[in-house]
């Protein structure tokens, strides 16, 4: 079977194309081993199964000159006895097979070949009655002609009619491979090897000393060493049941009654005739062997001389003949072994015809597949350029903002402004709602990142609360908030004096859970806080928390947050629990979001203090000390920024847009 | 520690803060390694601080100590502990589904609290504030109040009309109403622009305040400002 290399489908031997996918099968183009019958890829030198050489080594120059000792036709005297026994064994095998009929039925027809009739045990083709018109295959005709031409002593050898005498076992060229069983192919190759020394028959495999000489690749190939004897050759020996099996090293094979002198040393060693010679045979023995063994076998022997390249034939110069009937013929094509010659490819011209559109598509496909994408240079990431205008603007802004700080208001005075209603309302709420020892929860919902803005605001509010004598209870919903709150509480307590931690103010630290934590704390401040932030004391033991059970005990909720979200969460949770006065101190960025809670209907917030400016206003009302230099610096910075933005806006308006 | 005893840590802290502030300010020249280093220091310090703080303010006083003192009485604390441990399963894809239980709990409680608070604290008050009178007699002596009420009504309705995308088909009165709607919608668009500008200006004021604080700190650290 030949397995398709494309789809794996098993195809019959000899198939040229896969019957499933149409793939050309390698077996159709391969070389069949003359020894084991295995198909090898074209151009293979050795068989992949048995190691036999597939391409013959070129015979010596004198080889074509028919040696006198070489038997002319395939006669009994030309065949060693051991080979005859091999054929006999093979014949027995064939007689059992279904494909090959018993050779005894045709023995009468075979003897016409003369010497060939002495090989009754060789397999022959059977010609049934009624098939008189059967045309012999080429290989058979070729072999017959070769036999006739090679035998000088037997010129009467039949040359034409096959029906009269299918002379000897016929071994065909590869065209008949499919017609011959495997065992016959193997034997054919074997017999062909024996006929090689004879004068080459007419035909493409003839090699002549004179005339156009072709490389002698037509010689069949046989194993070159004992390790290359195929299995079939071993199997052709007597079956173990009939003959005593003797290891090869113990001596000659009993089933092969071959004289030791008839075989070369290497072959004797291969088939078990005693010990192999330690040294190469002497030249004299070489010549003696040459008379017994065909030249091509001698050429295959280990240590045989390397093939020589023949000189160009007479009349051949360069790459063409210059005289004779071949004048003008160019090139010397080496003759191929018929068995190695791959079959001619089928005419698939009709299948390969294509229309111009397909040709164009093929061209495009080749261009696409063959062309590599152009190397695209990735733009190198450039570092952001620091524009001079940008740098100059920053330096000017910083310088102007630093001047009020440096001069402490001597050169730059603050811009006059009125106190917003929201700030005043917050101040009024603290003044009116709170009494000494009232509990006020202050949520410090900002961290160090916004402390620069929120700390002054928180400080003025805390100072005012302490000034009113309220118990300040600080918490934070941000992890970093409690430490900032503690710094502010300490400063406020120091500014007002007479305030002690745990009694007048306390820091309960971080409240996890955001809205849930806020709600939990407003419902149960002591239970939610558990411990204070500074000393870790239980919240229930702190004097500042005495009597505080829930939001109903709170007199005010002060929310100081940098984020509008945090402030809104406090307001929403507190508004849902009880009506408690609330004021908010927020960042300037959060002011637009929080102010509606003061201005709108319902007024959740009693007052709003926003940013440093609001802190300054509130400090001015409450008497707290707030750095006026910071307020003035901020005002001047904002003024410069406003002017800069107006300039940029004017430039952008009057500058034509780039296209 | 003996070496640190004679060292004024306040001054060291101030100079460390001074250097870090300058490193952050170096961003004015674009992204650079100094800014990145300061950024990483802040992030790492904040994360470490939060981890320690959470342990001392949450895990130890609210979970570990109650369980150690009275396990039977505080057995309910195993529920939040289990929910917290389930969050660790989020680290592996095959077990991340277990963390969804805790996440569902958190989102459910958070959404319930937020919606409840927003309805009572924000939405209701906002609706009440939007329901205003445009009768001039109600603003006798307060012309700014009347103008404020008019602007509030125009802006609120204009913004709502700006997001009204359906174009009614028709002629006559329908076409006239469509034109009014488009014009009022454009007015609402300008209200939004002014609002966003005010929000942006507020954000600028907040950032300028932080800049002033840092400039004040830098000048104070190098001795140009007293106290």
């Amino acid at each position: 079977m030949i397995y398709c290399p494309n789809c794996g489908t098993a195809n019959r031997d000899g198939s040229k194309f896969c019957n499933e996918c149409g793939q050309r099968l390698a077996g159709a183009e391969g070389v069949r081993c003359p020894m084991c019958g295995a198909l090898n890829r074209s151009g293979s030198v050795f068989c992949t199964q048995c190691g036999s050489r597939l391409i013959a080594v070129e015979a010596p120059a004198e080889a074509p000159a028919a040696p006198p000792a070489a038997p002319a036709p395939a006669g009994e005297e030309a065949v060693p006895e051991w080979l005859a026994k091999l054929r006999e064994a093979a014949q027995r095998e064939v007689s059992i097979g279904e494909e090959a009929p018993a050779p005894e039925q045709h023995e009468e027809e075979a003897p016409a070949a003369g010497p060939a009739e002495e090989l009754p045990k060789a397999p022959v083709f059977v010609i049934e009655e009624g098939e008189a018109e059967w045309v012999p295959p080429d290989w058979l005709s070729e072999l017959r002609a070769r036999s006739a031409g090679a035998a000088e002593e037997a010129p009467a050898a039949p040359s034409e009619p096959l029906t009269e005498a299918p002379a000897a076992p016929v071994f065909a060229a590869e065209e008949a491979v499919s017609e011959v069983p495997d065992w016959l192919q193997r034997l054919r190759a074997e017999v062909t090897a024996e006929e090689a020394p004879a004068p080459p028959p007419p035909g493409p495999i003839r090699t002549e000393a004179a005339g156009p000489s072709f490389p002698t690749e037509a010689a069949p190939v046989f194993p070159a060493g004992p390790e290359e004897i195929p299995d079939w050759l071993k199997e052709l020996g007597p079956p173990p049941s009939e003959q005593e099996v003797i290891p090869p090293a113990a001596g000659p094979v009993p089933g092969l009654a071959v004289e030791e002198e008839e075989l070369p040393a290497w072959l004797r060693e291969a088939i078990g005739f005693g010990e192999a010679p330690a040294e190469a045979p002497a030249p004299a023995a070489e010549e003696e062997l040459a008379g017994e063994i065909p030249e091509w076998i001698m050429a295959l022997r280990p240590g045989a001389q390397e093939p020589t390249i023949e000189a160009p034939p007479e009349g051949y110069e360069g790459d063409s003949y210059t005289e004779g009937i071949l004048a003008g013929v160019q090139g010397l094509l080496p003759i191929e072994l018929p068995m190695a010659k791959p079959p001619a490819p089928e005419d698939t011209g009709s299948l390969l015809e294509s229309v111009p559109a397909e040709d164009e598509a093929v061209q495009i496909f080749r261009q696409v597949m063959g062309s590599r994408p152009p190397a695209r240079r990735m733009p190198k990431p450039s570092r952001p350029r620091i524009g001079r205008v940008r740098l100059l603007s920053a330096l000017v802004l910083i310088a102007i903002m630093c001047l009020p700080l440096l001069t402490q208001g001597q050169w730059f005075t603050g811009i006059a402004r009125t106190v917003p209603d929201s700030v005043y309302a917050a101040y009024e709420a603290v003044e009116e709602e709170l009494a000494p020892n009232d509990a006020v929860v202050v949520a410090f919902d900002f961290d160090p990142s916004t402390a620069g803005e929120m700390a002054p605001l928180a400080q003025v509010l805390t100072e005012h609360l302490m000034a009113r004598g309220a118990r300040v209870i600080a918490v934070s919903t941000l992890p970093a908030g409690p430490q900032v709150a503690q710094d502010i509480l300490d400063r406020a307590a120091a500014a007002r004096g007479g305030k002690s931690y745990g009694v007048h103010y306390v820091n309960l630290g971080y409240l996890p859970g955001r809205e849930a934590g806020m709600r939990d704390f407003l419902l149960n401040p002591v239970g939610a806080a558990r411990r204070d932030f500074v000393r870790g004391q239980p919240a229930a033991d702190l004097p500042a928390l005495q009597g505080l059970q829930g939001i109903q005990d709170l007199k005010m909720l002060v929310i100081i947050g940098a984020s509008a979200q945090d402030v809104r969460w406090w307001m929403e949770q507190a508004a849902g629990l009880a009506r408690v006065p609330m004021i908010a101190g927020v960042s300037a960025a959060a002011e637009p979001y929080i102010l509606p809670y003061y201005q709108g209907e319902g007024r959740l917030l009693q007052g709003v203090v926003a940013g440093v400016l609001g802190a300054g206003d509130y400090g001015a009302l409450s008497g707290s000390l707030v750095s006026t230099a910071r307020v003035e610096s901020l005002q001047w910075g904002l003024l410069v920024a406003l002017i800069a933005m107006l300039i940029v806006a004017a430039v952008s308006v009057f500058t034509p847009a780039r296209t | 520690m003996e070496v640190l005893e004679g060292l004024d840590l306040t001054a060291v802290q101030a100079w460390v803060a001074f250097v870090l502030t300058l490193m952050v300010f170096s961003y004015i020249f674009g992204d650079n390694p100094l800014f990145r280093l300061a950024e990483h220091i802040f992030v790492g310090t904040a994360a470490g601080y939060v981890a320690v703080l959470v342990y001392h303010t949450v895990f130890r006083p609210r979970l570990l100590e109650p369980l150690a003192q009275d396990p039977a009485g505080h057995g309910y604390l195993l529920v939040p502990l289990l929910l917290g441990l389930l969050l660790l399963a989020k680290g592996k894809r095959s077990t991340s589904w277990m963390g969804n239980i805790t996440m569902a709990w958190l989102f459910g409680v958070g959404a319930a609290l937020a919606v409840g608070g927003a309805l009572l604290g924000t939405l209701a008050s906002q609706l009440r504030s939007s329901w205003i009178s445009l009768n001039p007699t109600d603003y006798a002596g307060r012309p700014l109040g009347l103008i404020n009420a008019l602007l509030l009504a125009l802006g609120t309705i204009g913004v709502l009309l700006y997001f009204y995308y359906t174009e009614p088909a028709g002629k006559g009165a329908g076409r006239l109403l469509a034109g009014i709607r488009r014009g009022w919608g454009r007015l609402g668009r300008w209200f939004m622009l002014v609002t966003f500008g005010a929000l942006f200006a507020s954000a600028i004021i907040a950032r300028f305040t932080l800049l002033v604080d840092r400039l004040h700190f830098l000048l104070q650290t190098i001795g140009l400002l007293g106290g």
Side-chain angles (χ1 to χ4, degrees):
Chain A
M1 303 299 285
I2 301 176
Y3 292 93
C4 176
N6 183 38
C7 63
T9 302
N11 299 273
R12 290 193 306 173
D13 289 336
S15 301
K16 298 176 181 178
F17 296 91
C18 177
N19 58 9
E20 185 67 23
C21 66
Q23 171 74 26
R24 177 177 287 275
L25 301 176
E29 302 175 352
V31 179
R32 185 175 295 278
C33 176
M35 303 304 292
C36 65
L39 275 175
N40 297 272
R41 298 174 63 87
S42 298
S44 300
V45 179
F46 294 98
C47 177
T48 58
Q49 299 298 322
C50 64
S52 302
R53 189 178 183 87
L54 302 177
I55 299 176
V57 179
E58 188 176 283
E62 59 272 18
E76 188 174 8
E77 60 277 11
V79 179
E81 187 176 352
W82 62 272
L83 187 56
K85 289 183 176 300
L86 286 177
R87 291 174 178 172
E88 183 179 359
Q91 186 178 6
R92 286 199 301 271
E93 179 183 346
V94 171
S95 63
I96 300 173
E98 296 180 2
E99 299 83 4
E104 291 76 10
Q105 301 176 4
H106 305 280
E107 282 184 353
E108 310 82 64
E109 302 176 10
E117 68 179 322
E118 299 301 327
L119 299 171
K121 299 173 182 177
V124 294
F125 270 103
V126 177
I127 301 176
E128 299 290 343
E129 293 183 3
E131 292 183 352
E133 298 80 11
W134 177 75
V135 178
D138 295 341
W139 61 270
L140 189 57
S141 303
E142 176 187 332
L143 183 62
R144 184 168 53 194
R146 188 187 344 171
S147 301
E152 295 179 1
E153 295 83 3
S159 59
E160 196 51 38
L162 176 68
T163 54
E164 296 176 4
V170 283
F171 304 101
E174 68 170 333
E175 291 83 0
V177 167
S178 60
E179 305 173 13
V180 182
D182 293 342
W183 65 268
L184 188 54
Q185 295 177 26
R186 291 194 294 267
L187 285 180
R188 180 198 319 163
E190 193 173 339
V191 174
T192 305
E194 288 200 3
E195 294 178 356
I205 63 172
R206 181 175 61 183
T207 58
E208 297 178 359
S213 175
F214 301 97
T216 56
E217 296 180 354
V221 179
F222 278 79
E227 66 279 1
E228 297 177 359
I229 295 177
D231 296 338
W232 66 269
L233 186 56
K234 298 174 182 177
E235 294 172 1
L236 286 177
S241 59
E242 300 176 6
Q243 302 290 340
E244 181 182 358
V245 177
I246 300 176
V253 178
L256 298 176
V258 181
E259 294 297 332
E260 188 172 352
E261 294 76 9
E262 297 179 7
L263 298 177
W266 64 271
L267 192 54
R268 277 181 280 147
E269 179 187 359
I271 61 179
F273 278 112
E275 296 294 333
E279 298 178 354
E286 193 85 19
E287 295 178 1
E288 184 179 352
L289 288 173
E292 302 176 355
I293 302 177
E295 293 295 336
W296 63 270
I297 293 182
M298 295 294 290
L300 293 177
R301 288 171 46 240
Q305 64 179 27
E306 293 296 323
T308 57
I309 301 176
E310 291 185 353
E314 185 178 356
Y316 184 80
E317 294 180 5
D319 59 349
S320 63
Y321 290 90
T322 58
E323 60 184 51
I325 61 174
L326 296 177
V329 176
Q330 293 184 344
L332 273 176
L333 295 179
I335 190 169
E336 292 183 282
L337 186 67
M339 287 185 293
K341 183 179 179 181
E346 293 184 352
D347 183 14
T348 56
S350 59
L351 298 176
L352 298 179
E353 287 181 356
S354 60
V355 297
E358 293 175 344
D359 295 339
E360 185 179 358
V362 168
Q363 293 298 330
I364 295 174
F365 178 76
R366 287 177 177 173
Q367 291 177 359
V368 171
M369 298 303 293
S371 62
R372 304 182 62 180
R376 182 179 301 174
R377 297 186 61 182
M378 298 298 292
K380 186 178 180 181
S382 59
R383 299 183 59 184
R385 297 178 57 186
I386 309 301
R388 295 178 181 177
V389 176
R390 175 182 171 186
L391 187 59
L392 183 62
S393 303
L395 292 177
V396 170
L397 179 62
I398 291 174
I400 291 178
M401 294 178 71
C402 286
L403 284 177
L405 297 174
L406 292 172
T407 59
Q408 296 292 318
Q410 294 180 2
W411 295 352
F412 292 85
T413 58
I415 300 174
R417 55 177 273 131
T418 58
V419 178
D421 292 341
S422 59
V423 176
Y424 192 81
Y427 172 78
E428 286 290 324
V430 172
E431 286 288 327
E432 296 176 2
E433 299 287 343
L434 293 182
N437 207 30
D438 282 346
V440 178
V441 170
V442 182
F444 290 85
D445 282 352
F446 61 94
D447 54 15
S449 64
T450 54
E453 182 186 15
M454 301 302 298
L457 176 61
Q459 186 162 347
V460 297
L461 288 173
T462 307
E463 287 185 17
H464 192 205
L465 294 174
M466 289 185 176
R468 295 295 300 169
R471 290 178 290 160
V472 178
I473 304 167
V475 292
S476 176
T477 59
L478 299 179
Q483 184 58 51
V484 180
Q486 188 61 35
D487 294 340
I488 294 171
L489 289 172
D490 292 339
R491 284 202 297 266
R496 289 300 172 183
K499 304 296 180 183
S500 58
Y501 180 81
V503 178
H504 301 96
Y505 67 98
V506 66
N507 186 359
L508 296 181
Y510 170 59
L511 289 178
R514 288 300 176 97
E515 302 107 307
M518 297 172 186
R519 186 179 182 87
D520 186 27
F521 177 80
L522 292 174
L523 291 173
N524 184 12
V526 176
R530 295 178 183 272
R531 296 179 181 275
D532 79 301
F533 176 76
V534 178
R535 300 171 184 171
Q537 293 179 343
D541 299 339
L542 295 173
L545 299 179
Q546 296 302 315
L548 184 63
Q549 301 299 324
I551 189 173
Q552 66 278 4
D553 300 323
L554 290 178
K555 296 300 180 183
M556 182 173 285
L557 176 61
V558 180
I559 309 165
I560 305 173
S563 168
Q565 180 86 332
D566 295 335
V567 177
R568 192 167 68 235
W569 281 343
W570 273 111
M571 289 187 300
E572 292 173 350
Q573 296 304 319
L577 295 175
R579 188 71 179 177
V580 57
M582 291 184 287
I583 62 172
V586 297
S587 165
E591 183 183 9
Y593 300 97
I594 300 301
L595 209 53
Y597 290 93
Y598 162 75
Q599 297 172 336
E601 293 291 328
R603 188 169 287 195
L604 289 179
L605 292 175
Q606 306 299 314
V608 176
V609 183
V612 172
L613 297 177
D617 297 336
Y618 195 96
L621 294 174
S622 63
S624 300
L625 183 60
V626 178
S627 173
T628 56
R630 288 194 179 195
V631 177
E632 293 165 357
S633 174
L634 176 62
Q635 289 176 333
W636 282 103
L638 293 175
L639 181 61
V640 170
L642 177 62
I643 295 173
M645 283 189 284
L646 289 175
I647 293 174
V648 171
V651 170
S652 63
V653 167
F654 294 104
T655 301
R658 295 179 180 178
T659 57
Chain B
M1 298 302 292
E2 296 178 355
V3 177
L4 297 178
E5 287 180 356
L7 194 63
D8 186 3
L9 292 180
T10 305
V12 173
Q13 293 171 359
W15 281 105
V16 170
F18 179 83
V19 173
L20 288 174
T21 302
L22 290 181
M23 290 169 67
V24 174
F25 277 6
S26 67
Y27 191 75
I28 195 173
F29 300 105
D31 197 5
N32 61 84
L34 291 177
F35 173 77
R36 290 293 185 91
L37 178 61
E39 191 178 33
H40 293 169
I41 289 174
F42 286 144
V43 173
T45 305
Y49 179 79
V50 169
V52 174
L53 182 77
V54 167
Y55 171 77
H56 285 288
T57 59
V58 178
F59 280 104
R60 188 168 58 85
R62 297 170 186 264
L63 181 67
L64 300 180
E65 289 180 353
L67 285 177
Q69 294 170 0
D70 184 12
H74 298 89
Y76 64 91
L77 292 178
L78 294 178
V79 175
L81 175 62
L82 177 62
L83 292 175
L85 292 177
L86 287 178
L87 280 179
L88 299 178
K90 279 284 187 182
K92 193 175 182 181
R93 175 173 294 184
S94 60
T95 59
S96 63
W97 62 271
M98 291 191 291
N100 294 339
I101 300 173
T102 307
M103 297 302 295
W105 179 276
L106 292 177
F107 281 116
V109 173
L113 291 174
V115 170
L119 285 176
L120 296 176
T122 300
L123 193 58
S125 60
Q126 188 173 7
L127 288 175
R128 283 199 302 267
S129 300
S130 301
W131 194 259
I132 56 176
S133 171
L134 296 179
N135 187 359
T137 58
D138 295 338
Y139 300 96
R142 294 186 297 130
L144 290 180
L146 177 61
I147 295 174
N148 188 29
L150 287 175
L151 289 177
L152 183 61
L154 286 175
T156 303
I157 298 174
V159 170
L160 292 175
L161 289 177
Y162 178 73
F163 292 101
Y164 186 81
Y165 298 113
T166 304
E167 186 70 24
K171 295 181 179 179
R175 196 168 184 177
L176 177 61
L177 289 177
I180 294 174
R181 185 193 55 75
R182 283 196 298 269
W184 206 340
R186 293 193 188 97
L187 182 62
R189 181 168 177 261
W190 277 101
F191 269 88
M192 284 192 294
L193 292 176
V194 172
T195 303
F196 293 146
L199 296 176
F200 181 65
S202 300
I204 286 179
I205 292 174
R207 298 302 176 259
F208 266 66
T209 305
L210 297 177
L211 177 61
V212 169
D213 177 71
R214 286 296 90 193
L215 292 176
H216 185 274
F217 169 76
L218 292 176
L219 295 176
Q220 190 177 30
T221 303
I222 60 178
L224 295 179
L225 295 180

